[in-house]
Amino acid sequence: MLITADLSIPFPRSLVYSTYRDKLVELVDYLPNVRSVEVKSRREENERIYCVNCWRGGGRIPLAVRAVLGKAMLSWTEYDTWDESNYTLEWRIETHAFTEAVFCAGKNYFIEDNSNTIIETRGEFKIAPEQLEGWPQSLKVQIATQVENFLGKKIVPNLIQMSAGVHNYLEQRTTTRN
């Protein structure tokens, strides 16, 4: 499944880019489907910044539903490479459940558009049925297809939510300073 989203934030590119990269923990307050983000590592090398972040989702999911899904189904590790020379972010997500079966990776392009920033996200999300352990062979394709379709429909709304969170965060910071 291809991931495609083009989002606009009415702030300068350098500010939007650095906010996504450097203020992730602070942005959690603006992301209702995220419970926490923990920065596992961050290093600068050859004009790039490499980050590893552990996300815990399920913010506004009812407690009973969260209990059924379990922590592993609602958490993932994101591996990021930020390249400010061309305002891009290459990312790869490793799920904490069915890790071997899930592939999710892509690239974000932060594009200057007058005083706005367009964020183009291009990526891919797929589940390899043959890698699903603990399920009968006859059900693996059906399960992979259903889970991929269900989760795939959540990705773009979450990207939109992240963009709205960054927008609200920056708007609040700008209003507070004036």
Side-chain angles (χ1 to χ4, degrees):
M1 170 177 290
L2 295 179
I3 301 167
T4 303
D6 295 338
L7 307 163
S8 179
I9 300 178
F11 287 92
R13 175 171 66 172
S14 61
L15 181 60
V16 170
Y17 185 81
S18 65
T19 300
Y20 267 84
R21 184 189 64 209
D22 303 333
K23 303 296 183 186
L24 191 57
V25 173
E26 293 174 48
L27 290 170
V28 169
D29 291 339
Y30 299 85
L31 306 172
N33 292 331
V34 176
R35 296 184 67 198
S36 67
V37 176
E38 179 184 353
V39 177
K40 293 291 197 177
S41 69
R42 178 184 169 113
R43 68 181 167 80
E44 293 185 41
E45 185 179 301
N46 298 328
E47 298 183 24
R48 291 194 171 97
I49 296 176
Y50 301 89
C51 301
V52 178
N53 302 305
C54 182
W55 292 72
R56 287 178 186 76
R60 291 194 182 151
I61 295 174
L63 189 58
V65 173
R66 230 182 291 145
V68 170
L69 291 176
K71 290 181 182 179
M73 293 293 285
L74 296 172
S75 26
W76 61 95
T77 301
E78 182 176 38
Y79 299 86
D80 297 333
T81 302
W82 297 88
D83 185 349
E84 195 166 356
S85 70
N86 58 16
Y87 289 95
T88 59
L89 160 62
E90 289 185 51
W91 50 268
R92 178 179 59 83
I93 291 174
E94 185 177 277
T95 58
H96 293 184
F98 306 112
T99 305
E100 299 80 22
V102 177
F103 173 82
C104 188
K107 191 169 186 174
N108 292 5
Y109 303 86
F110 293 75
I111 301 164
E112 200 165 32
D113 182 32
N114 296 317
S115 59
N116 296 322
T117 301
I118 306 295
I119 303 157
E120 290 183 355
T121 300
R122 302 294 182 263
E124 184 177 9
F125 170 69
K126 62 184 174 182
I127 299 176
E130 66 278 3
Q131 297 294 323
L132 290 173
E133 297 296 325
W135 297 95
Q137 190 65 35
S138 59
L139 292 177
K140 286 183 177 184
V141 171
Q142 183 180 357
I143 290 168
T145 302
Q146 288 181 359
V147 171
E148 188 175 300
N149 287 335
F150 174 76
L151 292 177
K153 290 176 184 169
K154 303 284 186 196
I155 294 172
V156 171
N158 284 339
L159 293 171
I160 293 168
Q161 183 185 85
M162 181 70 177
S163 174
V166 169
H167 179 191
N168 292 336
Y169 174 88
L170 291 173
E171 199 168 69
Q172 187 176 39
R173 297 298 178 275
T174 303
T175 304
T176 305
R177 290 187 181 140
N178 292 336

